[in-house]
Amino acid sequence: MVPLIRLALAASLGLASLAAHAAATVGQPAPAFTLTDSHGKTHALSDFAGKTVVLEWFNHECPFVKKHYGAGNMQRQQDASERDGVVWLLVNSSAPGKQGHVDGAQANAILGEWKATPTAFLLDHDGAIGRAYGAKTTPHLFVIDGEGVVRYAGAIDSNPSPDPADIPGATQFVEAALADLAAGRPVARATTQPYGCSVKY
Amino acid sequence: MSATPARASRALLHAACAIALIAAPAAAATQTNALTPTQHARVGLVTDHDAVRPGQTLQVGLRIVHDPGWHTYWINSGDSGLATRFDWTLPDGAQAGPIRWPFPERLPAGPLVNFGYSDTLLLPATLRVPDSLRAGERFRATLRARWLICAETCIPDEATLALDLAVARAPRTSAEAPAFAATLARVPEPLPATGHAWRDATHVAVQIDDAAWTRDAARIEVFPLTPQVVASTPIEARLGPDGALRFRHPASEAFDQMPARVAWAIGVHAPDGRFRAWEVALPGEDARPQRR
């Protein structure tokens, strides 16, 4: 009996420590969420069971976000992903009054202006889902497989700078992770250091 | 983040100087003292010498006077942010070393923590004057400095600053030499050390052997120089009765694998207020080392 109790204790301690450092961790189930999008439609992670999902933390006033949208890097990857049946969700965790906080109409206007066509723009105004994922920066990206397991967490690419001129020489980590998943391979670079503005919780 | 020694034709160098003069007439004209306004900071290029001898090394630094509430970042910027970057344009035969990062401060940003600097900062680098220059000539170089400056919001900014020093038979230190001495005293000094840094289930544990240099500390501050190893929350280090300094800290949420070498900046505050900073690098291990 003693080993069993030890095992249970270890398991509960493990869970406690996970809760203390809440974050989406590669190889672990992604935190569940239900959020309203910029059109007022509700989306749950479970709605996308069987599909690969990309979550991109977004603040349209952040220079690092502008870098990737100004150069078309994000739009290109969103378009390519959707052609491959991948769901791409923007998440806005800026609190009311903080930089990058938008309502649905403002979000739609930005998407139109930037010619960005993610699957949906999710509003996380209380930051609960951002905190559950441990989203630190804009951009900060997570790739979740069809089983709901986190397969990538980190930066959009390998070149931490606000300069669009650094995009062509960078390794696109999310694109590489999606290619690995599509080919049934383990993701080669599964955890990287995200870079950008702090999420404005 | 190392400054790249770059070769430039004289024409290019002149072009760069002209740009600097247009962008920053005050800074380019006098080099020291004068500061150029940038977004939420004033910046300038300063040197510890007014005149240099061929082949000598000198300290050249970017001074950043941040507006209150604004900050720039250390080599490891923490949860967000971005380290300041230097790109030098140098004449043939000159060399530039990497930024010599002074000990940082902790900068909370909501639930995140960053590492960087506020108030007045001097970021030095070592430059070597070409052997080929002669007394009476000028040692000219250009620094393109790029940084991210943040309060709650962040702005990328940059300045191109010109260095133009007299070359003389006898070098002459500048009025800024004491400022460099004070700054360099806060740059962690590499300290050969033995010990271990290993990953356990949720944490990274570190043991630095023979850490008598922390014995009389009133306070010990530890910052991770290597990113993606530990969380950015404050690290509590203790000196054990066996003379080893130890700490165990939650792993970074971006932890991937234990790097081959894990470096730490360790600041030791003496009870009388004196401060010394050390840089200690240890081999990274995937599990607790076996007792020997």
Side-chain angles (χ1 to χ4, degrees), chain A residues 17 21-23 63-64 98-99 131 133-137 160-163 166 191-201, chain B residues 76 78-82 85 109-112 114 144 146 148 152-156 202-203 227-228 250 252-256:
Chain A
S17 68
H21 308 288
F64 296 87
K98 298 282 182 78
Q99 188 195 50
R131 288 170 203 269
Y133 275 76
K136 295 193 184 316
T137 59
S161 98
D163 188 349
D166 291 329
T191 306
T192 65
Q193 178 89 36
Y195 71 89
C197 307
S198 58
V199 175
K200 310 305 180 195
Y201 291 111
Chain B
N76 175 10
D79 287 330
S80 61
L82 192 67
R85 178 175 166 182
L112 312 184
N114 294 316
R144 182 186 181 199
R146 284 179 275 182
L148 184 71
E152 184 168 295
T153 60
C154 295
I155 303 169
T202 54
H203 287 60
Q228 274 190 272
S252 166
E253 287 171 12
F255 185 97
D256 182 26

Side-chain angles (χ1 to χ4, degrees), chain B residues 22-50:
Chain B
I22 292 160
T30 62
Q31 287 172 30
T32 53
N33 305 325
L35 294 170
T36 303
T38 58
Q39 296 178 82
H40 303 289
R42 289 172 297 135
V43 305
L45 195 65
V46 293
T47 65
D48 68 348
H49 279 72
D50 283 334

Side-chain angles (χ1 to χ4, degrees), chain B residues 80-127:
Chain B
S80 61
L82 192 67
T84 296
R85 178 175 166 182
F86 284 1
D87 290 294
W88 293 96
T89 304
L90 300 169
D92 283 348
Q95 289 172 333
I99 294 174
R100 302 177 71 186
W101 300 92
F103 205 75
E105 52 183 294
R106 308 179 60 78
L107 303 160
L112 312 184
V113 180
N114 294 316
F115 308 141
Y117 310 98
S118 55
D119 299 326
T120 297
L121 168 68
L122 181 57
L123 275 186
T126 304
L127 255 59

Side-chain angles (χ1 to χ4, degrees), chain A residues 15-66:
Chain A
L15 282 174
S17 68
L18 273 179
H21 308 288
T25 305
V26 168
Q28 302 290 321
F33 63 79
T34 304
L35 286 169
T36 304
D37 75 11
S38 56
H39 297 286
K41 190 177 171 215
T42 299
H43 300 272
L45 179 60
S46 55
D47 295 347
F48 304 112
K51 290 190 168 184
T52 301
V53 175
V54 177
L55 298 180
E56 175 202 331
W57 259 262
F58 181 88
N59 163 0
H60 71 286
E61 294 179 282
C62 166
F64 296 87
V65 172
K66 289 181 185 173

Side-chain angles (χ1 to χ4, degrees), chain B:
Chain B
M1 184 140 319
S2 63
T4 318
R7 287 182 179 188
S9 72
R10 206 158 269 280
L12 191 67
L13 193 62
H14 281 168
C17 288
I19 291 163
L21 281 166
I22 292 160
T30 62
Q31 287 172 30
T32 53
N33 305 325
L35 294 170
T36 303
T38 58
Q39 296 178 82
H40 303 289
R42 289 172 297 135
V43 305
L45 195 65
V46 293
T47 65
D48 68 348
H49 279 72
D50 283 334
V52 291
R53 180 170 40 79
Q56 82 162 89
T57 59
L58 75 154
Q59 297 300 309
V60 181
L62 177 71
R63 175 166 289 144
I64 305 180
V65 182
H66 303 84
D67 283 358
W70 292 79
H71 54 261
T72 56
Y73 294 94
W74 191 43
I75 184 169
N76 175 10
S77 62
D79 287 330
S80 61
L82 192 67
T84 296
R85 178 175 166 182
F86 284 1
D87 290 294
W88 293 96
T89 304
L90 300 169
D92 283 348
Q95 289 172 333
I99 294 174
R100 302 177 71 186
W101 300 92
F103 205 75
E105 52 183 294
R106 308 179 60 78
L107 303 160
L112 312 184
V113 180
N114 294 316
F115 308 141
Y117 310 98
S118 55
D119 299 326
T120 297
L121 168 68
L122 181 57
L123 275 186
T126 304
L127 255 59
R128 188 174 184 279
V129 182
D131 294 315
S132 56
L133 286 178
R134 302 268 174 272
E137 294 184 326
R138 310 291 296 180
F139 174 46
R140 293 195 177 97
T142 304
L143 172 65
R144 182 186 181 199
R146 284 179 275 182
W147 61 86
L148 184 71
I149 186 162
C150 303
E152 184 168 295
T153 60
C154 295
I155 303 169
D157 208 353
E158 65 172 274
T160 300
L161 300 163
L163 175 74
D164 184 358
L165 287 177
V167 180
R169 276 190 219 330
R172 195 168 66 246
T173 56
S174 78
E176 295 285 3
F180 278 94
T183 296
L184 293 175
R186 294 186 57 83
V187 174
E189 187 178 321
L191 186 70
T194 59
H196 300 280
W198 70 95
R199 171 77 197 243
D200 64 24
T202 54
H203 287 60
V204 170
V206 173
Q207 173 184 320
I208 300 165
D209 300 331
D210 304 321
W213 41 279
T214 65
R215 192 187 304 136
D216 299 319
R219 191 159 65 91
I220 300 169
E221 280 186 278
V222 182
F223 286 81
L225 267 161
T226 309
Q228 274 190 272
V229 175
V230 291
S232 299
T233 46
I235 294 172
E236 289 192 27
R238 281 178 212 289
L239 185 66
D242 59 352
L245 185 73
R246 290 185 177 82
F247 54 90
R248 183 172 176 271
H249 198 69
S252 166
E253 287 171 12
F255 185 97
D256 182 26
Q257 56 184 350
M258 217 53 195
R261 308 271 305 160
V262 187
W264 310 90
I266 301 174
V268 179
H269 297 263
D272 64 4
R274 278 178 305 126
F275 176 77
R276 285 208 68 176
W278 308 94
E279 179 182 330
V280 172
L282 298 169
E285 295 162 81
D286 291 325
R288 188 187 187 90
Q290 300 294 312
R291 283 185 185 280
R292 271 164 274 182

